[in-house]
Amino acid sequence: MNDVVAAEWRKLWAIRSTLNVLGVVVVFFALCVLWSWYVRGYWDGLSAERRAGLRTAAADQPLLLVLPVCAAVLGALSITSEYGTGMIRTSLAAVPRRRNLFAAKAAVSSGVMLVAALVSAAAAVLAGRAVVGGGPSRRSTRPCPTRRRTCSASGSSRRRPR
């Protein structure tokens, strides 16, 4: 099974779409940093009264919206690229058990996207905090429609202490 995973690793990096998908992740990371700079500049120009009511999206929100799409695209392209070129016949001749072949494909493509997602999301959060500092979207809360709860900027609610 290790040989099958190694072969799928080489095949995944041989197709152009892998670098294209990872390039999209890098572009959205850059959008996260630009959003943080915009919010910081906007925050600096506000009065104290307006700052108190300001709610902004989290710095990593654009990236977190596109990561599942990139994962699905990479998974689909890792399989369909072989069908498009006809190389699936060679792969199935080398590994006659389809389960092993597709498990290796799934493991490699999901592993690559998992690492890319973790690294880019952590970098987006850290870059956003570095740019914004103590300004907006640090931990903004707003009242929830239900009683005795507070909503965070991401929309999730938590119980207020009594």
Side-chain angles (χ1 to χ4, degrees):
M1 185 70 176
N2 289 341
D3 293 336
V4 178
V5 171
E8 290 304 320
W9 176 263
R10 283 190 292 271
K11 283 191 268 183
L12 183 69
W13 291 106
I15 54 178
R16 282 181 297 186
S17 58
T18 302
L19 294 178
N20 293 341
V21 169
L22 295 177
V24 168
V25 172
V26 170
V27 166
F28 272 85
F29 168 74
L31 285 175
C32 291
V33 174
L34 287 174
W35 171 251
S36 297
W37 272 324
Y38 170 75
V39 168
R40 184 59 190 203
Y42 185 72
W43 171 267
D44 289 340
L46 290 178
S47 65
E49 299 85 34
R50 300 233 11 226
R51 285 182 182 180
L54 181 67
R55 291 186 305 239
T56 62
D60 58 344
Q61 187 172 3
L63 185 66
L64 295 179
L65 291 173
V66 81
L67 281 174
V69 175
C70 288
V73 167
L74 184 66
L77 287 175
S78 69
I79 293 174
T80 59
S81 65
E82 277 195 88
Y83 280 100
T85 60
M87 287 302 293
I88 191 69
R89 288 183 233 121
T90 307
S91 296
L92 288 172
V95 183
R97 293 182 182 242
R98 288 178 185 235
R99 183 180 308 160
N100 291 348
L101 178 67
F102 291 125
K105 280 185 182 299
V108 168
S109 61
S110 63
V112 167
M113 271 315 294
L114 178 67
V115 169
L118 290 176
V119 168
S120 62
V125 168
L126 293 175
R129 286 187 180 169
V131 169
V132 171
S137 72
R138 203 52 182 151
R139 182 154 175 102
S140 63
T141 57
R142 58 183 167 80
C144 271
T146 60
R147 300 178 75 198
R148 293 193 340 232
R149 289 184 181 262
T150 13
C151 290
S152 67
S154 64
S156 63
S157 62
R158 56 182 168 75
R159 281 263 192 217
R160 269 192 203 164
R162 291 184 182 206

